[in-house]
């Protein structure tokens, strides 16, 4: 019975890495110059916080990454991402 995929991040390390568990082991999907802290996988896209002031979007189909939110004057340690129901 397959429920879904398991994704992992390297946490508070530089460079940050995002993995997908395939065949019982981690497969690296992406490496970022800053940590990949809290993240959400939704609709084939990964939204993640960089432990500074930004939230980034990684599209798993195109492998493109874009900053979708940044506010250095408000946040200095943005650590998680979430969606309201």
């Amino acid at each position: 019975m397959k429920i879904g995929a398991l994704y992992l991040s390297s946490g508070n390390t530089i460079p940050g890495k995002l993995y997908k568990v395939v065949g019982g082991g981690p497969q690296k999907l992406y490496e970022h110059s800053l940590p990949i802290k809290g993240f959400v996988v939704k609709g084939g896209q990964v939204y993640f916080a960089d432990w500074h002031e930004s939230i980034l979007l990684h599209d798993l189909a195109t492998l493109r990454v874009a900053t979708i939110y940044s506010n250095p004057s408000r946040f200095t340690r943005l650590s998680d991402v979430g969606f309201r129901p």
Side-chain angles (χ1 to χ4, degrees), residues 48-63:
F48 67 91
D50 68 0
W51 193 234
H52 290 277
E53 70 275 342
S54 300
I55 296 174
L56 293 94
L57 169 65
H58 179 204
D59 188 303
L60 296 173
T62 65
L63 303 180

Side-chain angles (χ1 to χ4, degrees), residues 6-68:
L6 175 62
Y7 293 87
L8 306 167
S9 80
S10 56
N12 195 21
T13 63
I14 297 174
K17 296 179 182 103
L18 180 67
Y19 300 92
K20 180 179 180 181
V21 176
V22 177
Q27 174 184 356
K28 186 168 76 170
L29 296 177
Y30 176 66
E31 186 171 307
H32 188 64
S33 61
L34 295 171
I36 296 177
K37 295 295 282 180
F39 67 93
V40 172
V41 180
K42 183 175 182 178
Q45 299 177 320
V46 180
Y47 301 81
F48 67 91
D50 68 0
W51 193 234
H52 290 277
E53 70 275 342
S54 300
I55 296 174
L56 293 94
L57 169 65
H58 179 204
D59 188 303
L60 296 173
T62 65
L63 303 180
R64 291 185 181 195
V65 178
T67 300
I68 59 170

